Amino acid sequence: MRARRVITVVGCHAGGEVGNVVVGGVLPPPGTTVFEQMQALQRDDGLRRLLLREPRGSVAVHANLVVPAHGEDCDAGFIVMEPTEYPAMSGSNTICVTTVLLETGMLELREPETVLRLEAPGGVVEARAACREGRVESVELTNVPSFADRLDAPLEVAGLGTLAVDVAYGGMWYAIADAHALGFALEPAEARELSLAGERIRAAAREQLPCVHPENEEIAGVSIVQLAAPWQGVGAVTRNAVVVAPGRLDRSATGTGLSARLAVLHARGLMGVGAEMTHASVLGSTFDGRIVAETRVGGRPAIVPAIRGSAWITGITQLLVDPHDPFPEGYVLSDTWGVSGLDTQA
């Protein structure tokens, strides 16, 4: 066996969504903030391609690179790599990173609760891990401020007609559409059709509904779609399906998606500070969400959401790159790489 590169990865999933964590073999990228380090990774993009593309990865895999934090009183930083982008924040990935940091001993696990401050590219988040008998039972993360940008915006979508969608930021920019109006019951058998619809909505929203974070112009454009069942009320469980580009379902209930939904419901006056709800994925896995506080982002009303879920470690892998491997950064084929086969947020 020969290898010019060896990368150690802890496998993990939160609610079924894979959020692997790189713990060895990669030096921190340059930058004075985690956001700048993310941009450095993005410019090169070789690590993301190696980790996510076949033959070492798949479209259903996310990867997280742990880096030293730059923020005051932060315990660690992390950079999220997804199939077509480097999002500023991810709820399921934060839950995976927290679980891996504590259960592998990279940071001290303290029972019954360990509180971490983690620096994501989109800002600092607090993770409160409920711990028992040496494992993390659940993680509640206090997410970055989230807000609604547009409510009931008309959107022309090829093959679907004119839809009314909400555009909201929950750590990623979402277009949120009514799943029932599109004829979906949000069942596993609908996965491919949901993905096709979500990709069409994403492409249309990126063209017709521009959006820019008021405090960071680099965070711009709808990159993910939520097909949501009608809200069931405070304290109840509501189903949703989040379509991750290039067109496949998020297996989890999606933390940034729940944050965006909370922001929309707050903007409509349906949820206030302290109110809770639960999102269920197509698989039936759930994340709990609540509104912690009201705030403002760039002068506009916003909320601070908290999301709770659980993650499970699935294994430890060493990825190798043979010096003669014809695919050192992998490849994508449209038969398996989502419904659109894209590798960027086109």
Side-chain angles (χ1 to χ4, degrees), residues 147-153 155 164-169 172-177 205 209-212 221-222 260 263-264 300:
F147 53 90
D149 184 73
R150 292 177 173 91
L151 299 177
D152 293 322
L155 181 67
V165 302
D166 302 323
V167 176
Y169 182 78
M172 302 171 70
W173 278 110
Y174 278 80
I176 305 175
L209 301 174
C211 47
V212 179
V222 169
V264 165
R300 68 176 69 185

Side-chain angles (χ1 to χ4, degrees), residues 144-236:
V144 297
S146 303
F147 53 90
D149 184 73
R150 292 177 173 91
L151 299 177
D152 293 322
L155 181 67
E156 295 289 336
V157 183
L160 299 177
T162 302
L163 308 181
V165 302
D166 302 323
V167 176
Y169 182 78
M172 302 171 70
W173 278 110
Y174 278 80
I176 305 175
D178 186 331
H180 286 191
L182 291 168
F184 291 116
L186 301 181
E187 300 293 341
E190 298 173 326
R192 185 162 182 81
E193 292 303 316
L194 285 164
S195 297
L196 286 165
E199 267 296 271
R200 290 174 180 172
I201 293 169
R202 182 187 67 86
R206 286 183 72 81
E207 180 181 347
Q208 299 172 39
L209 301 174
C211 47
V212 179
H213 195 287
E215 296 179 351
N216 187 338
E217 64 182 13
E218 298 295 326
I219 304 174
V222 169
S223 66
I224 194 165
V225 170
Q226 181 180 138
L227 301 175
W231 184 56
Q232 298 301 298
V234 171

